[in-house]
């Protein structure tokens, strides 16, 4: 998973806690999850709506928005250790 994937999850309606659940589950499974599995694992309020929003994403537009600002995520080595101590830490940070 990469930062752009995390951004797409946010654009499709998942919140930080939902994305954390996906990342935690992926660590234990060691395999690629389908988007449907991610909707279930995330425990989002409306998985069907998330799936519809995700499939409707305009990837070119998302990429343009994403590339406007540099970013890093909890998956990157430069993520501040202090932030990792927080509850519901930000999954993706732009600067």
């Amino acid at each position: 998973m990469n930062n752009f994937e995390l951004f797409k999850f946010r654009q499709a309606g998942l919140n930080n806690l939902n994305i954390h659940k996906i990342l935690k589950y992926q660590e234990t499974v060691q395999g690629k999850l389908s988007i449907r599995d991610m909707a279930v694992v995330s425990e989002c309020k409306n998985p069907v709506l998330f799936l519809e929003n995700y499939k409707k994403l305009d990837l070119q537009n998302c990429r343009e928005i994403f590339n406007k600002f540099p970013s890093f995520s909890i998956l990157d080595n430069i993520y501040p250790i202090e932030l990792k101590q927080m509850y519901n830490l930000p999954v993706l940070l732009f600067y």
Side-chain angles (χ1 to χ4, degrees), residues 26-92:
Q26 265 194 325
E27 286 176 7
T28 62
V29 173
Q30 296 297 323
K32 188 165 181 158
L33 296 172
S34 70
I35 195 64
R36 183 185 176 283
D37 291 340
M38 289 183 193
V40 172
V41 168
S42 73
E43 298 178 8
C44 61
K45 291 181 182 178
N46 192 340
V48 174
L49 181 62
F50 164 69
L51 288 171
E52 288 176 6
N53 289 341
Y54 189 85
K55 290 177 183 178
K56 288 180 186 177
L57 286 176
D58 178 354
L59 295 182
Q60 184 176 358
N61 186 43
C62 282
R63 182 63 73 178
E64 288 175 12
I65 294 168
F66 179 76
N67 287 334
K68 282 185 180 181
F69 303 99
S71 66
F72 60 90
S73 72
I74 60 173
L75 304 174
D76 297 325
N77 292 334
I78 64 168
Y79 196 88
I81 295 171
E82 293 81 10
L83 286 179
K84 287 185 177 182
Q85 306 304 317
M86 292 175 48
Y87 171 75
N88 193 17
L89 58 130
V91 173
L92 187 63

Side-chain angles (χ1 to χ4, degrees), residues 15-31:
N15 62 36
N16 273 332
L17 290 176
N18 299 138
I19 297 171
H20 281 292
K21 289 176 184 176
I22 293 170
L23 294 173
K24 187 173 183 178
Y25 186 80
Q26 265 194 325
E27 286 176 7
T28 62
V29 173
Q30 296 297 323

